[in-house]
Structure formats: structure tokens, C-alpha cells
Amino acid sequence: MAVMGDGFRKERQTLAFDAALRLMKNAIRQDMDVVLDECNLYGPEWGLFAAFAQQMHAKVVWHTIDTPLEVCLQRNREAGSPLLDEQIVRLQEKWGALLKSK
């Protein structure tokens, strides 16, 4: 599903969320596996996806990719810098701490 296009678009976020949720529910009903890209979702939205999956008795597995900070910063700049570098650094620090605790 490519609702967002080639980059993050705030105005398409609700559309992307609704479409992904609908596709996930249909796939689980058909006993299919579902893989979601976290790039276009925020924390609370991930919680909703996990809750729906659990209600449907589906297994939820979270895969992470450890992308170097400099690569994230470069990609953000190339995408028109929708986030400040400091925001990405703080996010990376929080995720790093979370992943190390697992």
C-alpha cells in the first residue's frame, strides 16, 4: 500500500492509517500474516494496531531495523526536512534505550 506516496504527508496520515487498519483486519480474517511499516505511523497508532490484532487472536511481532543516525538525518533532509535534526536525535536516543532494555 502506497498511500503516503514517496514521503511523509501529514494531510494523508489519517487516510494511510484507516487504509492500513482495514487491510490488516481483512488479511487476519483470511489467516494471512501482516507486516506494517512503522515509518508512517506514530506510537499511539501502533498500539491500536496491536490491540486490534490481539482482539482477533493474531500474533503480534515487532521487527526493528537499526539505521545509523546519520543515515536517518540525511534521509530527512532529502525529504525536505519535515523534522528538526534535534527531534530525530531525541527519538533515536529514546528508541535506543527502549531496544537495549528488551
Side-chain angles (χ1 to χ4, degrees):
M1 178 183 76
V3 173
M4 287 300 225
D6 62 352
F8 178 82
R9 300 217 188 334
K10 183 73 173 164
E11 66 274 10
R12 294 185 187 169
Q13 184 177 359
T14 300
L15 178 63
F17 175 81
D18 291 345
L21 186 59
R22 188 172 49 254
L23 289 170
M24 181 194 79
K25 287 180 178 181
N26 289 338
I28 291 173
R29 284 187 189 108
Q30 296 175 43
D31 201 29
M32 299 172 72
D33 292 331
V34 177
V35 177
L36 295 171
D37 178 359
E38 69 177 312
C39 294
N40 296 319
L41 300 173
Y42 291 109
E45 293 171 340
W46 275 106
L48 290 173
F49 276 99
F52 282 121
Q54 289 170 347
Q55 286 175 0
M56 299 175 84
H57 307 286
K59 181 179 172 183
V60 176
V61 180
W62 188 323
H63 297 274
T64 59
I65 298 173
D66 188 10
T67 305
L69 177 60
E70 284 306 316
V71 173
C72 292
L73 293 170
Q74 179 183 350
R75 289 178 181 169
N76 182 58
R77 290 181 196 119
E78 290 171 357
S81 297
L83 298 174
L84 298 174
D85 285 359
E86 294 80 20
Q87 291 172 300
I88 294 174
V89 170
R90 281 196 307 270
L91 182 61
Q92 187 267 348
E93 290 169 350
K94 289 180 183 179
W95 276 109
L98 175 67
L99 294 175
K100 287 178 186 174
S101 69
K102 298 276 177 187

